[in-house]
């Protein structure tokens, strides 16, 4: 509570064994370090005053590591390199197998095995990209915790892996984050000069497209006419997630650089 700025020296009372009544925290000797007492009146998101030792009591600043957007995007795009040929080989083998006895069974088997191996490689790269994105999302919510946002980092990421729930939770985890982040930065603009702003409409677009893509794939994509639409939805998701993850990482990296600068000072 102290680090989040939730204690008020004039109004918040504490109690422990040996104390007869509820007492202001600052009136109990030894309960609060000197730096912590100085922070009690520091608004959330503002740099604390300097301690007698001459260093800023900056524990209110979120400590977070940088996000590697280049690695994330590289893994995602890299998954397409083996994935598309692998999918083509699988479709080719299925077409050849259904063409009747005249088909070359050896060629069908080789195409199926090659396509499967390529798809497995693509799946591995895609999983690595999802892990990187999940780490970035966790850190993005983590830096907002001192501002009293709508959810926790663990919950934001965890529910994204729950089937069906994830389609709806995406609106909280991503679109909600963009709204909370911009609101926090606007409210503390003097404390965080130069903080990048994100585009909530971009995050909302991703949430809407991914929510539409799943039921479309399950119920409407059985006909050949629907395949181009499904392909367009998947391509839209890829483009939107790359753009959204860039803004997500830029916000996290701002806080990482800010804290590194504070430590150097």
């Amino acid at each position: 509570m102290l680090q989040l700025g939730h204690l008020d020296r004039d109004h918040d009372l504490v109690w422990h064994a040996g104390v007869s009544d509820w007492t202001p925290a600052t009136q109990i000797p030894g309960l609060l370090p000197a730096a912590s007492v100085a922070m009690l009146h520091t608004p959330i998101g503002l740099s604390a005053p300097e301690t007698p030792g001459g260093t800023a009591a900056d524990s209110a600043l979120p400590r977070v590591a940088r996000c590697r957007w280049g690695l994330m995007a590289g893994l995602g795009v890299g998954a397409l390199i083996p994935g598309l040929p692998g999918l083509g080989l699988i479709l080719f083998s299925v077409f050849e197998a259904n063409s009747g006895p005249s088909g070359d069974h050896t060629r069908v088997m080789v195409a199926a095995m090659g396509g499967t191996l390529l798809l497995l490689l693509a799946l591995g790269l895609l999983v690595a990209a999802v892990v990187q994105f999940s780490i970035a999302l966790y850190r993005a919510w983590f830096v907002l915790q001192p501002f009293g946002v709508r959810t926790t980092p663990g919950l934001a990421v965890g529910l994204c892996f729950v089937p069906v729930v994830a389609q709806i939770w995406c609106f909280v985890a991503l679109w909600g984050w963009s709204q909370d982040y911009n609101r926090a930065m606007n409210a503390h603009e003097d404390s965080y000069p130069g903080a990048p702003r994100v585009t909530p409409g971009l995050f909302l677009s991703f949430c809407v497209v991914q929510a539409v893509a799943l039921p479309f794939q399950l119920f409407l994509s059985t006909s050949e006419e629907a395949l181009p639409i499904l392909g367009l939805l998947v391509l839209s998701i890829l483009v939107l997630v790359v753009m959204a993850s860039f803004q997500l990482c830029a916000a996290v990296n701002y806080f990482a650089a800010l804290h590194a600068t504070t430590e150097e000072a």
Side-chain angles (χ1 to χ4, degrees), residues 85-99:
L87 181 61
L89 288 174
I90 292 295
L91 293 176
F92 170 78
S93 64
V94 171
F95 176 79
E96 286 291 311
N98 294 333
S99 62

Side-chain angles (χ1 to χ4, degrees), residues 24-164:
T26 53
Q27 294 184 13
I28 299 181
L31 178 62
L32 300 175
S36 299
V37 173
M39 288 178 61
L40 288 178
H41 282 305
T42 302
I44 296 176
L46 299 181
S47 298
E50 289 192 356
T51 61
T55 59
D58 60 342
S59 59
L61 293 176
R63 294 176 177 268
V64 66
R66 291 179 58 85
C67 292
R68 295 179 289 180
W69 179 82
L71 175 61
M72 185 193 313
L75 290 170
V77 174
L80 297 176
I81 298 176
L84 294 178
L87 181 61
L89 288 174
I90 292 295
L91 293 176
F92 170 78
S93 64
V94 171
F95 176 79
E96 286 291 311
N98 294 333
S99 62
S102 59
D104 188 338
H105 296 290
T106 301
R107 184 171 59 180
V108 170
M109 184 176 296
V110 171
M113 292 179 61
T116 301
L117 290 176
L118 289 175
L119 287 179
L120 288 175
L121 176 59
L123 179 61
L125 293 172
L126 185 61
V127 169
V130 170
V131 169
Q132 290 295 320
F133 182 80
S134 300
I135 293 173
L137 182 60
Y138 183 95
R139 292 173 179 171
W141 278 105
F142 175 75
V143 299
L144 291 186
Q145 292 306 296
F147 302 100
V149 291
R150 67 188 73 189
T151 189
T152 62
L155 195 62
V157 175
L159 290 181
C160 287
F161 291 93
V162 179
V164 181

Side-chain angles (χ1 to χ4, degrees), residues 115-264:
T116 301
L117 290 176
L118 289 175
L119 287 179
L120 288 175
L121 176 59
L123 179 61
L125 293 172
L126 185 61
V127 169
V130 170
V131 169
Q132 290 295 320
F133 182 80
S134 300
I135 293 173
L137 182 60
Y138 183 95
R139 292 173 179 171
W141 278 105
F142 175 75
V143 299
L144 291 186
Q145 292 306 296
F147 302 100
V149 291
R150 67 188 73 189
T151 189
T152 62
L155 195 62
V157 175
L159 290 181
C160 287
F161 291 93
V162 179
V164 181
V165 174
Q167 312 305 314
I168 305 301
W169 181 251
C170 177
F171 287 87
V172 176
L174 291 175
W175 184 38
W177 174 84
S178 67
Q179 294 175 309
D180 286 358
Y181 172 79
N182 280 351
R183 189 180 300 115
M185 293 303 98
N186 290 335
H188 298 81
E189 190 170 3
D190 294 338
S191 303
Y192 299 110
R197 300 301 192 268
V198 299
T199 310
L202 173 64
F203 290 83
L204 176 60
S205 299
F206 169 76
C207 295
V208 171
V209 172
Q210 63 85 31
V212 171
L214 181 62
F216 183 89
Q217 182 180 5
L218 293 177
F219 304 111
L220 303 176
S221 62
T222 54
S223 63
E224 294 182 0
E225 293 78 6
L227 290 179
I229 301 177
L230 181 60
L232 181 61
L233 288 174
V234 172
L235 180 61
S236 300
I237 290 176
L238 291 176
V239 172
L240 289 171
V241 75
V242 167
M243 297 172 63
S245 63
F246 178 81
Q247 294 192 359
L248 199 75
C249 290
V252 173
N253 291 343
Y254 170 81
F255 277 89
L258 183 65
H259 195 81
T261 302
T262 305
E263 288 182 339
E264 291 176 0

Side-chain angles (χ1 to χ4, degrees), residues 7-30:
L7 285 178
D8 187 319
R9 87 163 62 215
D10 298 319
H11 301 95
D12 288 345
L13 304 177
V14 297
W15 179 90
H16 66 87
V19 176
S20 59
D21 198 359
W22 291 91
T23 307
T26 53
Q27 294 184 13
I28 299 181

